[in-house]
Amino acid sequence: MSSSGAAPEGRRGETRSTDLVPARADRIIRALSWGWASAPLITFAPAIARAMGLPDVRREIGWVFGLTGLFTFALAPAAGFVVARVSNRRQARARFLVMAAVSTPPILSLLFFGVLFPECPDGYHC
C-alpha cells in the first residue's frame, strides 16, 4: 500500500462477507425486482380474467393469485434486501427499502379489509 492511501478497495482491510458471485447476486436482485413489479398484475389477475368474461377463474383459483401476490409483495423486498446486504450493493439495498415502504400499505389494507374486517359478526359495526 502506498503512502497516498490509493489502494484497491479489497486491500483496505475490508473483508468480503459473501460467498455469492457478483453476477449471481445481480441476477437474484434483478429477478426479485421483476417479481415485485409483477405482484400487482398477479394480484389482480382474477379480476382481469372476470372482466374478460372468465368468472370461473376468480371463483375457483382466485385465492391462489391473491396469496401469491401478497407473498410476492412481502417476500421480494425482504429477500432482496438480504441479498443486497450480503453482496454489498448499496443502491439495491436502497431500492428494496423503498419497495418495502411501497408494499406496506397494500399489504396492511389487504389484511385489514380482507381478513379482519370480514370477521365482524352480522349486526355489529366494527
Side-chain angles (χ1 to χ4, degrees):
M1 186 161 140
S2 66
S3 62
S4 66
E9 241 180 81
R11 294 185 184 168
R12 288 187 183 168
E14 294 180 9
T15 58
R16 291 239 183 232
S17 63
T18 179
D19 293 335
L20 290 175
V21 178
R24 183 183 303 167
D26 290 337
R27 285 192 299 266
I28 293 170
I29 289 170
R30 187 178 306 121
L32 289 170
S33 297
W34 277 104
W36 180 83
S38 68
L41 183 64
I42 293 169
T43 304
F44 296 116
I48 295 168
R50 183 172 182 224
M52 293 176 58
L54 302 167
D56 294 337
V57 172
R58 186 172 186 178
R59 274 191 302 246
E60 293 177 9
I61 58 171
W63 62 274
V64 174
F65 286 100
L67 285 178
T68 304
L70 182 65
F71 285 133
T72 304
F73 264 134
L75 293 179
F81 183 79
V82 169
V83 170
R85 177 88 172 147
V86 168
S87 63
N88 201 18
R89 302 278 197 277
R90 278 192 178 160
Q91 291 178 342
R93 265 188 293 185
R95 181 180 352 148
F96 285 112
L97 284 175
V98 169
M99 288 166 56
V102 169
S103 294
T104 301
I107 291 170
L108 292 178
S109 64
L110 188 64
L111 289 175
F112 179 73
F113 292 114
V115 177
L116 300 177
F117 193 64
E119 291 182 1
C120 190
D122 292 336
Y124 292 95
H125 300 287
C126 297

